[in-house]
Amino acid sequence: NTTPHTDVLMIDGLEYRQRGIEGLDTMMMELSGPTRHIFSWSAVPVRLLTDNLTAVTPGPMNLSLNLFEGVDGILGGSGPTLSCRNTTLWHLLLQRLNATRFFLDFRAPPAALIQDPGQSQIVFNEVDPAAVGKLLWSQPKQTGDTINDAMHELLIYRPKVCGVDLLYNASSNWLTVVDTSGPCLALPPFLFDRVVTHIPVDCPASEAALFTFSLQDQSEPSPPEVTLALERLVFRNESGVELVCLARQDTNSERVPADMMYSHIAFGSMVAAALYLVIDLENHTIGLASRGDAQAESSQEYCAVPETCIAMQSYFPPLNVCEDPPCQRYLFMTLDDDTKMCVWRA
């Protein structure tokens, strides 16, 4: 027996309509490696797509990377607590392999400007030797509830673009989820707006800046940073236009509670392909390291020039603006628009 379903997925800030049928079936899976394995399970909950995923509100400029083209279904990699049957094929596979960690060894899609050799794969219980000495590990994630137990998440500290702390006086850290259902680096609206302030839209996509962050709070000496060359997120759309895979994750603020989980940063598949990314299931931590030469693959040349403030103005780095003094907060004071000074009311 099967049950039809129609629902909406939010991927990189766009809504996609998903139509499919759900039921129980026997599944087989073959894994390659030093030893060939063929696993099978019975009565596994599966959902097959009956139509291609379609964007409810298509984006401008034909931004599509042809997501899920030719796909019959999606093998979700989240934990079983998000499944109404409390199990998934992915969870069964991890149990069968007795996996304590897995390595997302992804490659960028064909449309990406930077390509690494090899093919995408997930490696269980092992890590690429080239990454072992480079990996920086996150703090253990929060556990004990349905959503956090299921998601692969971490806190990143002081994310920067063009050397500017994007969080500045808002927070020292922000929740980040590894979400490879979409390709992009997806940011909550306030962070997206701050990033594009410092990377002008007319800058060549192939001259993109660095995105950096730490996995622990500020200390002495300063903690090491993970560096991501945004050029590794550049792709050509079907019209040949070069675009950076950055997404603005708008949400309905009336429906979304005041919880960082609902306004998180998401590392999509192109971000995963730009990094060595290891998920430790026992310690609930994530290891990250840069692929390639991030410094050589980036440029600060097109970063916005900092504004010059005068008089009583104060500089707000994340949005690169000069803020006028709050003269109206003081009795009998007002702002002189020419001098940017607080003066007595006439």
Side-chain angles (χ1 to χ4, degrees):
N1 295 328
T2 60
T3 305
H5 281 277
T6 300
D7 49 25
V8 171
L9 298 178
M10 180 68 74
I11 300 175
D12 289 346
L14 295 177
E15 290 185 336
Y16 288 82
R17 183 174 290 110
Q18 177 182 248
R19 292 188 179 93
I21 55 174
E22 183 175 323
L24 302 178
D25 203 351
T26 298
M27 301 293 296
M28 296 185 66
M29 183 178 295
E30 179 178 344
L31 272 65
S32 61
T35 304
R36 180 170 172 261
H37 295 281
I38 298 179
F39 299 134
S40 64
W41 300 268
S42 60
V44 176
V46 295
R47 176 183 292 186
L48 297 181
L49 302 183
T50 55
D51 293 303
N52 291 331
L53 267 72
T54 55
V56 177
T57 307
M61 295 178 63
N62 187 19
L63 301 182
S64 174
L65 277 169
N66 298 320
L67 300 182
F68 312 113
E69 185 176 22
V71 170
D72 292 319
I74 299 171
L75 175 62
S78 57
T81 57
L82 285 185
S83 169
C84 59
R85 294 179 175 85
N86 207 36
T87 189
T88 63
L89 181 59
W90 176 253
H91 180 60
L92 293 172
L93 178 62
L94 293 176
Q95 286 183 322
R96 186 70 64 88
L97 294 171
N98 195 25
T100 59
R101 62 173 54 181
F102 58 90
F103 170 35
L104 297 183
D105 190 15
F106 285 180
R107 297 296 179 270
L113 291 194
I114 296 181
Q115 298 283 340
D116 293 319
Q119 63 182 5
S120 294
Q121 60 182 351
I122 299 176
V123 182
F124 298 96
N125 294 325
E126 295 182 11
V127 179
D128 188 332
V132 172
K134 303 178 182 178
L135 287 174
L136 301 175
W137 289 91
S138 71
Q139 298 170 341
K141 71 173 185 177
Q142 176 181 326
T143 59
D145 65 272
T146 299
I147 294 178
N148 287 298
D149 283 352
M151 307 302 287
H152 303 301
E153 59 189 36
L154 69 157
L155 290 178
I156 67 171
Y157 289 82
R158 305 189 185 281
K160 300 176 185 176
V161 164
C162 295
V164 176
D165 185 351
L166 299 173
L167 293 176
Y168 195 55
N169 57 358
S171 175
S172 66
N173 61 80
W174 207 259
L175 182 68
T176 303
V177 174
V178 178
D179 181 4
T180 56
S181 60
C184 295
L185 173 60
L187 303 167
F190 85 98
L191 282 178
F192 179 90
D193 294 343
R194 293 178 180 190
V195 169
V196 298
T197 293
H198 292 278
I199 307 175
V201 293
D202 57 352
C203 115
S206 57
E207 297 286 346
L210 275 178
F211 177 77
T212 66
F213 56 89
S214 301
L215 297 181
Q216 54 184 296
D217 209 347
Q218 193 66 35
S219 61
E220 290 294 339
S222 296
E225 292 183 324
V226 178
T227 56
L228 169 63
L230 293 181
E231 186 175 352
R232 283 187 169 261
L233 305 185
V234 176
F235 68 96
R236 289 190 180 92
N237 69 3
E238 293 177 351
S239 301
V241 178
E242 291 184 1
L243 301 167
V244 182
C245 201
L246 287 172
R248 191 178 195 267
Q249 292 205 113
D250 290 295
T251 54
N252 186 334
S253 58
E254 295 180 358
R255 293 186 303 168
V256 174
D259 188 328
M260 199 183 290
M261 169 54 71
Y262 297 94
S263 187
H264 59 260
I265 298 170
F267 283 177
S269 58
M270 288 190 73
V271 179
L275 301 168
Y276 294 104
L277 199 157
V278 181
I279 295 175
D280 191 306
L281 300 171
E282 287 189 326
N283 297 330
H284 306 295
T285 58
I286 294 178
L288 298 169
S290 303
R291 288 186 186 267
D293 187 338
Q295 297 294 335
E297 295 169 355
S298 62
S299 171
Q300 305 290 78
E301 180 180 355
Y302 292 93
C303 290
V305 177
E307 291 289 334
T308 301
C309 302
I310 63 171
M312 297 179 71
Q313 287 183 320
S314 57
Y315 181 56
F316 186 63
L319 290 175
N320 193 25
V321 295
C322 292
E323 297 180 330
D324 292 336
C327 303
Q328 71 282 1
R329 295 182 182 177
Y330 299 92
L331 199 62
F332 306 127
M333 302 295 288
T334 188
L335 175 69
D336 185 315
D337 286 325
D338 294 325
T339 64
K340 300 300 181 183
M341 295 283 290
C342 292
V343 296
W344 296 108
R345 292 181 186 272

